């Protein structure tokens, strides 16, 4: 499987993940146990519709790889992850067994949601997201070049491995691309 296909699969996974989290987010908001009083007025229903519209707009644009989609996806994940964490803590405070279990699950969901931020914000994913898939096809590289990522900032780079030296730096972050370690305990 080539790099472009792997990134496309990751993108599809992120779309599904954000979609499912958005649905759970809406379900938790409409839950009687935590926020039932909040949804008793027409203003709260309008607010819920606005939140659902923002989620749908963000998912749609992220799916179509637009600039605003790339901005909205991490924003949605941060907001929803924070909401899950706060809801989980509130569930713990209610005190009975079901609420403690629900609180634990919401906190676990908050951690997994916030963990996905690292994936979306990685330079490799960002480079793929903004580039046309054909530009990442290894068939478009020169004969000796391979695709590699910077160990520091994860920028996607075309390099010739045999020509890399410890003095080569990433054009994006300026850190070394190669770390050589000399083992002085080798037997001759």
């Amino acid at each position: 499987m080539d790099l472009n296909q792997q990134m496309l699969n990751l993108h599809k996974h992120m779309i599904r993940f954000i979609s499912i989290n958005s649905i759970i987010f809406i379900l938790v908001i409409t839950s009687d146990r935590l926020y039932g009083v909040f949804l008793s007025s027409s203003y709260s229903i309008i607010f819920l519709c606005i939140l659902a519209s923002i989620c749908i707009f963000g998912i749609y644009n992220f799916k179509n790889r637009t600039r605003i989609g790339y901005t909205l996806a991490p924003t949605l994940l941060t907001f929803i992850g924070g909401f899950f964490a706060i809801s989980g803590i509130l569930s713990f405070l209610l005190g009975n067994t079901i609420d403690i279990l629900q609180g634990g699950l919401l906190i676990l969901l908050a951690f997994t949601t916030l963990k996905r931020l690292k994936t979306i914000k990685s330079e490799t994913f960002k480079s793929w997201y903004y580039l046309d898939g054909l530009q990442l096809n290894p068939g478009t590289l020169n004969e000796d070049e391979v695709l590699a990522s910077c160990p520091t900032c994860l920028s996607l780079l075309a390099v010739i491995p045999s020509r890399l030296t410890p003095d080569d730096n990433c054009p994006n972050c300026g850190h070394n691309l190669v770390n050589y370690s000399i083992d002085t305990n080798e037997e001759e």
Side-chain angles (χ1 to χ4, degrees):
M1 185 180 300
D2 68 343
L3 180 63
N4 190 41
Q5 187 62 41
Q6 290 174 357
M7 296 304 275
L8 187 60
N9 288 343
L10 176 63
H11 184 243
K12 288 178 183 177
H13 168 76
M14 294 303 295
I15 292 167
R16 285 189 303 266
F17 185 81
I18 295 170
S19 300
I20 291 169
N21 273 355
S22 297
I23 292 168
I24 294 171
F25 168 66
I26 299 299
L27 289 174
V28 171
I29 285 180
T30 58
S31 160
D32 287 340
R33 296 179 86 66
L34 290 176
Y35 303 104
V37 176
F38 177 72
L39 291 176
S40 62
S41 71
S42 60
Y43 293 117
S44 58
I45 301 292
I46 292 169
F47 179 70
L48 181 65
C49 290
I50 290 170
L51 286 177
S53 299
I54 291 170
C55 290
I56 292 168
F57 180 74
I59 293 165
Y60 175 79
N61 281 290
F62 185 67
K63 181 179 185 249
N64 292 320
R65 291 170 62 179
T66 64
R67 289 198 179 275
I68 194 154
Y70 185 79
T71 304
L72 281 175
T75 305
L76 279 173
L77 285 177
T78 303
F79 179 75
I80 291 173
F83 176 81
F84 286 156
I86 291 169
S87 297
I89 292 168
L90 287 174
S91 291
F92 270 126
L93 296 177
L94 290 177
N96 65 30
T97 307
I98 293 174
D99 292 326
I100 291 173
L101 180 63
Q102 180 182 358
L105 292 173
L106 284 171
I107 289 173
L108 179 64
L109 189 56
F111 283 123
T112 58
T113 300
L114 295 173
K115 187 177 177 183
R116 297 298 191 278
L117 285 172
K118 185 177 180 183
T119 303
I120 287 182
K121 290 184 176 182
S122 76
E123 287 298 320
T124 304
F125 185 80
K126 185 177 180 181
S127 296
W128 174 84
Y129 186 87
Y130 285 121
L131 294 177
D132 184 10
L134 295 174
Q135 292 177 326
L136 286 179
N137 185 350
T140 62
L141 299 173
N142 292 332
E143 186 175 324
D144 295 338
E145 288 181 332
V146 296
L147 289 175
S149 61
C150 171
T152 305
C153 70
L154 301 175
S155 292
L156 193 60
L157 307 168
V159 298
I160 301 173
S162 60
R163 293 188 185 171
L164 284 175
T165 67
D167 298 328
D168 290 329
N169 295 327
C170 173
N172 189 34
C173 69
H175 287 92
N176 290 342
L177 291 174
V178 178
N179 292 328
Y180 281 106
S181 62
I182 301 173
D183 189 8
T184 57
N185 295 329
E186 289 184 11
E187 294 182 22
E188 296 188 31

